[in-house]
Amino acid sequence: QVQLQQWGAGLLRPSETLSLTCNMSGGSFSGYFWSWIRQPPGKGLEWIGEISHSGFTNSNPSLKSRLTISIDTSKRQFSLRLNSVTAADTAIYYCARAAVMVRGLTPTPGWFAPWGQGTLVTVSS
Amino acid sequence: DIVMTQSPDSLPVSLGERATINCKSSQSVLSSSDNKNFLSWYQQRPGQPPKLLIYWASTRESGVPERFSASGSETDFTLTISSLQAEDVAVYYCQQYYSFPCTFGQGTRLEIK
């Protein structure tokens, strides 16, 4: 079965760039979106963005200007970069596999399963 | 964005009793073309990532116990645990994937009474 293992820096200063990587094992990249979701401490879930095996990306409009998601299928990894972070970006960041929904002109994410273990990223001066 | 509102925020239930969690969307998530509700449910145990329980509003994910069921359509949805077990203590989230971007409810904390 698919397993996701993620890593990245856990403490950042304001204005720095958040960088996380997720390794996928036990399955194929094709036919799914590979997503990032975050959860501020004690709060709910926010979808960040995603990438397909071919490099097609979707991003949450609220984060799009600061966001880069990339994929390296040869390494079985996909990555998140969020620049110019502030304290509001403090959260647990999860990678996850998403089902692909095709209802309009572009595919969008469906449900998420499985999820990575999560990485707490704290932004503090 | 579609706003997902769950109720209650916290739900104390005795072991063996039924637990019911509600989720309301600010607009319909029912696709008329294929008659499917674009809604899922997740369980997040303390210190763990969320786990998918239900998709298409009522389809149980493989391996999810039969005591978990879900129903609803358009804007009103329900997750039911028929007989609460100790391991069901968690926060439960609904998610809509009908409209971009997908959005989650604020969560319902299920605890033992």
Side-chain angles (χ1 to χ4, degrees):
Chain A
Q1 81 231 33
V2 170
Q3 292 187 315
L4 300 174
Q5 183 77 23
Q6 59 183 102
W7 64 89
L11 180 60
L12 297 173
R13 300 209 183 278
S15 80
E16 291 184 335
T17 296
L18 181 157
S19 181
L20 298 173
T21 298
C22 187
N23 186 82
M24 189 277 286
S25 61
S28 170
F29 274 114
S30 298
Y32 296 95
F33 275 131
W34 301 91
S35 302
W36 293 95
I37 297 157
R38 70 181 182 180
Q39 183 173 37
K43 296 189 177 179
L45 300 160
E46 180 184 30
W47 175 75
I48 298 170
E50 63 195 5
I51 191 165
S52 71
H53 76 284
S54 63
F56 174 84
T57 59
N58 278 323
S59 301
N60 193 316
S62 66
L63 297 168
K64 187 171 185 175
S65 64
R66 300 192 288 132
L67 191 63
T68 302
I69 298 176
S70 59
I71 192 167
D72 186 336
T73 55
S74 66
K75 292 184 178 180
R76 304 187 67 80
Q77 294 174 357
F78 59 105
S79 298
L80 168 72
R81 288 175 62 86
L82 183 68
N83 59 33
S84 303
V85 297
T86 70
D89 295 310
T90 294
I92 299 173
Y93 287 74
Y94 296 100
C95 58
R97 184 182 70 175
V100 177
M101 301 292 112
V102 182
R103 291 185 54 245
L105 295 177
T106 58
T108 57
W111 56 86
F112 301 98
W115 296 56
Q117 80 277 17
T119 301
L120 175 60
V121 177
T122 302
V123 181
S124 175
S125 55
Chain B
D1 297 1
I2 293 180
V3 177
M4 308 299 290
T5 304
Q6 295 181 225
S7 62
D9 289 332
S10 180
L11 179 62
V13 176
S14 300
L15 289 173
E17 294 300 305
R18 177 184 299 263
T20 301
I21 298 169
N22 302 299
C23 174
K24 189 174 185 67
S25 57
S26 60
Q27 63 189 74
S28 175
V29 299
L30 173 63
S31 170
S32 56
S33 60
D34 50 13
N35 199 35
K36 287 185 173 181
N37 286 283
F38 284 52
L39 184 115
S40 58
W41 288 94
Y42 300 84
Q43 175 194 64
Q44 186 175 32
R45 292 177 174 138
Q48 297 293 315
K51 173 190 171 185
L52 176 69
L53 297 175
I54 302 285
Y55 56 95
W56 294 134
S58 61
T59 301
R60 201 180 301 116
E61 170 75 330
S62 176
V64 173
E66 291 185 2
R67 65 180 181 274
F68 290 91
S69 64
S71 62
S73 186
E74 297 191 50
T75 60
D76 292 281
F77 300 89
T78 300
L79 174 70
T80 301
I81 307 171
S82 60
S83 177
L84 188 71
Q85 306 298 303
E87 62 264 31
D88 300 335
V89 169
V91 179
Y92 292 82
Y93 294 94
C94 59
Q95 175 221 350
Q96 69 80 20
Y97 45 94
Y98 178 85
S99 175
F100 183 86
C102 65
T103 49
F104 295 84
Q106 83 278 14
T108 293
R109 184 174 303 276
L110 181 59
E111 58 189 41
I112 305 296
K113 183 188 290 184

